[in-house]
Amino acid sequence: GQQLNQSPQSMFIQEGEDVSMNCTSSSIFNTWLWYKQDPGEGPVLLIALYKAGELTSNGRLTAQFGITRKDSFLNISASIPSDVGIYFCAGRGGYTGANSKLTFGKGITLSVRP
Amino acid sequence: GAGVSQSPRYKVTKRGQDVALRCDPISGHVSLYWYRQALGQGPEFLTYFNYEAQQDKSGLPNDRFSAERPEGSISTLTIQRTEQRDSAMYRCASSFFGLAGERSYNEQFFGPGTRLTVL
């Protein structure tokens, strides 16, 4: 099945650094989402974006919905050890019917060195 | 409970056996989704329900896979005659239906998953 493009597969940063990750798609999505997955847990929603060009923040996290509706990026500022995990982007076409399913990227594993 | 729950958390079975995976959604959530996540991949859509009606089963890989939600609450994903390639994490998510209130409130909340291993 289709998956969104996330790369690289892994990122290693120093505690306190900022990190950016982006996500691209060959298809248009009307909603972009960023989830974080910790070991043994399901994905947890971090940020949701609903409008092309929208920039949204949640604490140290900032995400943007690309103008073309085919991409999004997530920025984490001043990283801390608990930011370690797998970050997934996901796109959704709509809220009802077949459009309500989520299409995910492969995820980026983030490691933070103390 | 407060979140989506799934059982069992781990299931090891022999090739050819049938397995049933259970999902208990967040109370009040009308929509329920099943995804499969292979190692190193993101979740991939399998099927979803609104209330008890299966709305889309386009992601089910073949006819050995089926799902039901007879009373519009708990759902069961059944895999018949399991094969080694069925080994994966099976995740369930639930959400409100459509739009209600704050937008992010309508997004899908995921359970911890069932790790299926077929020997």
Side-chain angles (χ1 to χ4, degrees):
Chain A
Q2 179 200 2
Q3 289 215 319
L4 306 182
N5 302 310
Q6 285 186 268
S7 64
Q9 196 169 358
S10 303
M11 298 181 80
F12 299 86
I13 61 172
Q14 201 74 31
E15 184 178 354
E17 287 182 342
D18 298 349
V19 61
S20 284
M21 46 189 84
N22 75 322
C23 181
T24 61
S25 169
S26 56
S27 306
I28 287 173
F29 289 102
N30 291 315
T31 299
W32 282 86
L33 306 159
W34 286 90
Y35 284 86
K36 178 176 183 257
Q37 182 172 304
D38 290 328
E41 303 294 328
V44 173
L45 182 66
L46 298 174
I47 286 185
L49 301 154
Y50 299 102
K51 189 176 175 184
E54 179 182 356
L55 187 71
T56 296
S57 293
N58 178 10
R60 293 179 297 106
L61 307 179
T62 302
Q64 184 156 30
F65 189 147
I67 289 177
T68 65
R69 292 193 281 159
K70 290 184 177 181
D71 65 313
S72 174
F73 81 76
L74 174 72
N75 185 76
I76 305 172
S77 63
S79 58
I80 60 178
S82 62
D83 290 334
V84 165
I86 304 175
Y87 290 80
F88 291 101
C89 61
R92 190 183 65 232
Y95 280 103
T96 59
N99 287 327
S100 68
K101 67 184 178 190
L102 297 180
T103 300
F104 282 85
K106 290 188 177 183
I108 293 176
T109 300
L110 181 66
S111 300
V112 179
R113 299 190 205 92
Chain B
V4 178
S5 61
Q6 293 187 246
S7 61
R9 292 292 304 272
Y10 302 91
K11 177 71 177 177
V12 180
T13 190
K14 290 185 178 178
R15 184 167 55 92
Q17 298 292 307
D18 298 350
V19 295
L21 312 179
R22 172 184 163 130
C23 172
D24 197 345
I26 293 172
S27 177
H29 278 190
V30 167
S31 300
L32 185 149
Y33 300 79
W34 284 99
Y35 293 84
R36 179 167 69 174
Q37 186 174 8
L39 206 59
Q41 304 288 322
E44 288 198 40
F45 171 79
L46 294 175
T47 185
Y48 98 97
F49 295 81
N50 282 336
Y51 299 100
E52 72 282 356
Q54 193 170 19
Q55 299 290 323
D56 183 353
K57 52 181 181 178
S58 62
L60 295 176
N62 51 60
D63 60 8
R64 294 186 297 107
F65 287 73
S66 63
E68 62 174 9
R69 194 185 183 198
E71 297 178 1
S73 179
I74 292 167
S75 176
T76 302
L77 177 70
T78 301
I79 309 173
Q80 295 178 311
R81 305 180 303 281
T82 52
E83 301 177 4
Q84 286 186 327
R85 59 177 173 159
D86 299 333
S87 296
M89 177 72 81
Y90 288 82
R91 296 203 186 274
C92 173
S94 69
S95 71
F96 287 106
F97 173 63
L99 276 176
E102 173 62 33
R103 275 178 160 174
S104 63
Y105 198 48
N106 297 277
E107 299 305 335
Q108 294 175 32
F109 291 81
F110 283 81
T114 295
R115 169 75 66 188
L116 174 66
T117 302
V118 182
L119 302 176

